[in-house]
Amino acid sequence: VQLQASGGGLVQAGDSLRLSCAASGRTFRSYTMGWFRQAPGKEREFVAGIRWGSVTKYYSDSVKGRFTISRDNAKNTVYLQMNSLKPEDTAVYYCAAGNSIILSQLRAPSVYDYWGRGTLVTVSS
């Protein structure tokens, strides 16, 4: 699986952005997909995740209520809609894919098998 994230940019606080992650591979629909971010000098952190069936979605406390993860298996694409952006959301955002990820591990970067190159989101105050 190859992943390509896009949609980042420079916005002002309160604005919205939608990130996209296009995946190659016919088995996309079976993978758990996650969005992570990494700010300068900080560790990579979980942002949102979605299981293959798209029924249940998971968010970090810092983005819950502002960000929405979704996926379109027909298009092999996962999205991250980001609303009410804050300066502390500034980071490089990565999408990731993993197979056979159990729920308790979904927030751990180490369990994901494939990673995109990241897209930079900068939120000015």
Side-chain angles (χ1 to χ4, degrees):
V1 176
Q2 291 184 326
L3 305 174
Q4 180 63 53
S6 62
L10 172 63
V11 298
Q12 293 185 332
D15 286 350
S16 298
L17 274 178
R18 189 177 80 156
L19 305 183
S20 299
C21 177
S24 64
R26 292 179 291 178
T27 58
F28 170 79
R29 63 180 66 241
S30 68
Y31 282 83
T32 293
M33 301 299 297
W35 284 99
F36 292 78
R37 66 186 182 187
Q38 188 166 17
K42 295 187 176 181
E43 293 186 352
R44 191 167 298 188
E45 65 171 354
F46 172 81
V47 175
I50 186 168
R51 302 293 290 272
W52 67 272
S54 303
V55 174
T56 308
K57 305 170 185 180
Y58 306 87
Y59 300 95
S60 66
D61 289 342
S62 61
V63 307
K64 194 175 297 182
R66 299 187 298 122
F67 290 12
T68 302
I69 188 171
S70 62
R71 66 190 294 167
D72 186 335
N73 288 334
K75 296 182 178 180
N76 280 10
T77 302
V78 62
Y79 304 98
L80 186 67
Q81 178 66 43
M82 305 185 296
N83 299 330
S84 303
L85 282 161
K86 304 176 181 180
E88 50 263 45
D89 294 318
T90 295
V92 176
Y93 283 72
Y94 299 88
C95 61
N99 204 5
S100 303
I101 294 177
I102 62 176
L103 182 56
S104 63
Q105 296 178 326
L106 186 140
R107 290 171 170 79
S110 60
V111 303
Y112 288 80
D113 303 304
Y114 305 98
W115 290 84
R117 296 183 67 178
T119 184
L120 176 62
V121 173
T122 304
V123 185
S124 63
S125 57

